[in-house]
Amino acid sequence: MRTVIYPGSFDPITNGHLDVIERAAKLFDRVIVGVAENESKKALFTLPERCELITRATRHLKNVTADTFSGLLVDYVVRRKAQAIIRGLRAISDFEYEFQMALMNRKLADRVETLFMMPKEQYTFISSRLVKEVAMLGGDIGEFVPRHVQQALRARLTKPQRP
Ligand code: PNS
């Protein structure tokens, strides 16, 4: 059983993330989308909300599940009996940070491999941060996120936010 972890903040999941998940689901027996708890990043959606948005977006993929984790990513990978980590690479600008993380993770757990996947070109400029900004300013985000995520963003951004 080949299992891969696709970790990230996913606040919220975008069509770019989904493209990477669909590609990974063809290569691995099991894909676990791991939503990381990060105290230092103020998120728009809670961890369970982000998980739920991912679960709905990946309903058509039978070998994909969403889960949350805290602590070191490599510990989570070992705990879930996975062999590898997938990260999406959109542009050269992503590379330095990703390379550093991959090497640190290798140092921490030598047998955990990091694989990089490129999303479709049409998604390379999409990020959760920009999608939130465009949505907040009233722009159309229909092309960038699944419909239920668009609705969740609209609902969250028109209601008072969590403290
Ligand atoms: O979507 P993001 O915010 O770029 O994802 C970053 C993430 C969650 C993959 C990274 O911050 C992470 O792995 N966090 C878990 C804590 C950890 O293992 N840190 C050391 C990484 S070398």
Side-chain angles (χ1 to χ4, degrees):
M1 179 79 120
R2 289 272 151 200
T3 303
V4 72
I5 305 285
Y6 179 40
S9 304
F10 303 104
D11 185 41
I13 184 170
T14 67
N15 286 340
H17 294 131
L18 194 52
D19 186 73
V20 169
I21 295 169
E22 283 168 350
R23 288 168 198 282
K26 288 188 197 142
L27 296 177
F28 286 84
D29 299 313
R30 203 158 61 117
V31 178
I32 302 171
V33 184
V35 186
E37 187 175 352
N38 186 347
E39 298 286 340
S40 61
K41 260 192 185 176
K42 191 171 164 12
L44 185 62
F45 293 101
T46 64
L47 285 174
E49 283 170 343
R50 283 181 262 163
C51 247
E52 173 58 25
L53 292 174
I54 295 166
T55 302
R56 278 188 68 182
T58 56
R59 263 200 308 231
H60 59 297
L61 303 166
K62 296 296 162 234
N63 58 341
V64 175
T65 53
D67 187 18
T68 62
F69 74 97
S70 55
L72 280 180
L73 171 60
V74 287
D75 290 344
Y76 178 67
V77 171
V78 171
R79 222 165 40 242
R80 296 303 311 260
K81 298 185 171 41
Q83 290 77 33
I85 296 165
I86 290 246
R87 290 287 288 170
L89 267 189
R90 292 166 301 189
I92 295 289
S93 52
D94 283 342
F95 184 73
E96 203 170 343
Y97 168 63
E98 293 298 335
F99 189 60
Q100 222 178 356
M101 263 205 321
L103 291 182
M104 176 58 86
N105 283 331
R106 175 178 283 169
K107 191 79 192 162
L108 294 170
D110 191 45
R111 68 162 195 81
V112 175
E113 291 295 341
T114 298
L115 308 172
F116 296 110
M117 296 190 85
M118 289 166 295
K120 227 181 242 167
E121 320 78 77
Q122 71 204 69
Y123 300 131
T124 49
F125 62 93
I126 302 176
S127 70
S128 300
R129 186 181 62 79
L130 276 185
V131 165
K132 281 184 283 192
E133 188 172 321
V134 172
M136 213 171 303
L137 298 171
D140 183 4
I141 53 162
E143 264 183 67
F144 313 141
V145 292
R147 184 176 284 275
H148 68 282
V149 175
Q150 194 182 355
Q151 287 161 351
L153 272 167
R154 200 177 299 134
R156 180 57 43 93
L157 295 172
T158 51
K159 272 192 201 144
Q161 284 180 29
R162 297 184 296 126

